[in-house]
Amino acid sequence: MYCVIQKVENKKPNTCGEAKELKVDTAEYFTDGKPKTCYGYKYTGKFERPIKTAYKISIHKSFRESGKVRKKQWVLCTMGYYALIEYCLYDFADGKITKVAEETGISIDDIYNMVNEKLEPIIDEATKEYEATEEYKTKVKNLAIYKKYCEAKVKFESKFGKGNYDYCYDIFGVLRNEEYLKELETSYKSQQEYNRSYYENFKSNYDNFNFSGYSNSKGSNYTEDEKGKLKRIYGVLATKFHPDVSKDDGEMMKLVNRLKDEWQI
């Protein structure tokens, strides 16, 4: 058995060209009774792709029957120039290759290897040619912009909250709403100051509280009813000051756990 790849004249153009331009898109929303602009993005225009050669891929088998040489052929698929670059053989021919394997007793892997040995040089040549085009260079540029946008958005929203980046910056990282950004920064600083003040107040109260009657003894002096109430107090504190909730450095949670140990609950 052997693989044959034939060039086929292609009369239809490929209409799936990449976008020519990445642009800022906007949408208006009302929040807190006032309009607010969200800065999204959109792709405009498409590259026109020239008509390129397609490739017909088939498997051939020669055999003797009644003293005569006979041939059998299985057409696997026809792949266009851009399909070679953007897809793989499996997408187009897996069903046919499975059928050929069943009819001939040759493994699926062997058939794939047979075809790829002849197909890969064609793919390499097409890919090299395509990567020299303006379409490919524009695609790479737009992907780099989008990747940078995603990274900046994740970092920003981990601090100021999900959904806020697009109200401040556009796809290119240009600040579009300085006023709203200042509001977010002010709110963030206020929350940080509140957390710090709350922590210092709690720590001060804790340091001034006399635990000597309990912490220095090996056994607990609380009744079972009191322990039950203390567990409820611990649950409230642990829920409020867990680092995943309070977003602090974890010191508050350490104090809460010390209370738990000293209360022996």
Side-chain angles (χ1 to χ4, degrees):
M1 287 182 65
Y2 55 97
C3 172
V4 174
I5 299 179
Q6 298 170 291
K7 289 185 177 181
V8 179
E9 183 181 355
N10 191 4
K11 296 182 180 180
K12 293 183 179 180
N14 183 297
T15 59
C16 299
E18 296 290 340
K20 285 187 174 182
E21 193 172 3
L22 178 59
K23 289 185 175 181
V24 175
D25 194 19
T26 60
E28 296 293 330
Y29 297 97
F30 276 84
T31 56
D32 300 325
K34 58 182 180 180
K36 191 161 63 172
T37 303
C38 179
Y39 297 93
Y41 61 91
K42 62 182 178 181
Y43 293 94
T44 61
K46 275 189 175 184
F47 281 93
E48 293 184 9
R49 290 178 163 178
I51 297 176
K52 292 284 190 176
T53 303
Y55 296 88
K56 180 181 176 182
I57 305 169
S58 57
I59 294 292
H60 296 246
K61 180 181 180 181
S62 298
F63 58 96
R64 283 190 173 275
E65 186 178 77
S66 301
K68 294 182 179 181
V69 176
R70 300 189 181 277
K71 294 182 179 180
K72 189 167 184 179
Q73 173 183 323
W74 295 267
V75 176
L76 300 181
C77 64
T78 298
M79 296 182 70
Y81 172 88
Y82 293 99
L84 292 175
I85 299 167
E86 297 169 344
Y87 298 95
C88 65
L89 180 63
Y90 177 88
D91 298 320
F92 283 78
D94 186 63
K96 288 287 184 69
I97 288 176
T98 300
K99 184 178 179 181
V100 173
E102 291 172 352
E103 290 185 19
T104 62
I106 297 176
S107 74
I108 291 174
D109 285 343
D110 285 343
I111 296 174
Y112 267 108
N113 290 335
M114 186 189 309
V115 176
N116 283 326
E117 186 177 353
K118 285 200 170 184
L119 188 61
E120 284 177 358
I122 299 173
I123 294 174
D124 290 342
E125 184 180 347
T127 301
K128 184 178 180 180
E129 182 182 61
Y130 175 67
E131 289 180 353
T133 65
E134 192 63 31
E135 177 182 350
Y136 175 77
K137 293 174 183 177
T138 301
K139 175 185 176 181
V140 171
K141 182 185 72 173
N142 288 339
L143 284 175
I145 293 170
Y146 180 73
K147 181 181 178 182
K148 188 176 180 181
Y149 157 77
C150 289
E151 291 172 348
K153 185 173 182 177
V154 168
K155 184 178 180 180
F156 182 92
E157 294 186 349
S158 67
K159 181 177 181 179
F160 296 114
K162 189 174 181 180
N164 282 315
Y165 183 85
D166 291 335
Y167 288 105
C168 296
Y169 295 91
D170 63 24
I171 183 74
F172 301 103
V174 177
L175 179 59
R176 294 294 193 115
N177 192 337
E178 186 175 1
E179 182 181 351
Y180 185 60
L181 176 60
K182 288 180 178 178
E183 289 180 18
L184 292 174
E185 289 174 338
T186 300
S187 177
Y188 177 78
K189 289 178 181 178
S190 296
Q191 185 62 46
Q192 291 296 101
E193 184 59 35
Y194 171 80
N195 291 342
R196 183 163 46 251
S197 175
Y198 197 98
Y199 163 74
E200 290 173 354
N201 184 54
F202 183 88
K203 187 176 185 302
S204 176
N205 291 337
Y206 176 82
D207 291 341
N208 293 329
F209 196 83
N210 182 13
F211 292 105
S212 59
Y214 306 103
S215 60
N216 294 331
S217 61
K218 293 184 178 179
S220 173
N221 291 326
Y222 294 110
T223 65
E224 290 302 315
D225 180 58
E226 288 173 333
K227 284 183 179 181
K229 293 176 181 177
L230 289 173
K231 286 180 180 179
R232 290 171 60 189
I233 293 172
Y234 170 77
V236 172
L237 293 174
T239 300
K240 182 174 181 62
F241 294 109
H242 191 282
D244 289 345
V245 176
S246 63
K247 307 297 182 184
D248 63 7
D249 56 5
E251 290 299 319
M252 288 292 288
M253 195 63 211
K254 290 180 182 179
L255 288 175
V256 172
N257 285 329
R258 281 177 61 186
L259 282 177
K260 180 184 176 183
D261 293 338
E262 291 168 355
W263 290 341
Q264 297 184 19
I265 56 174

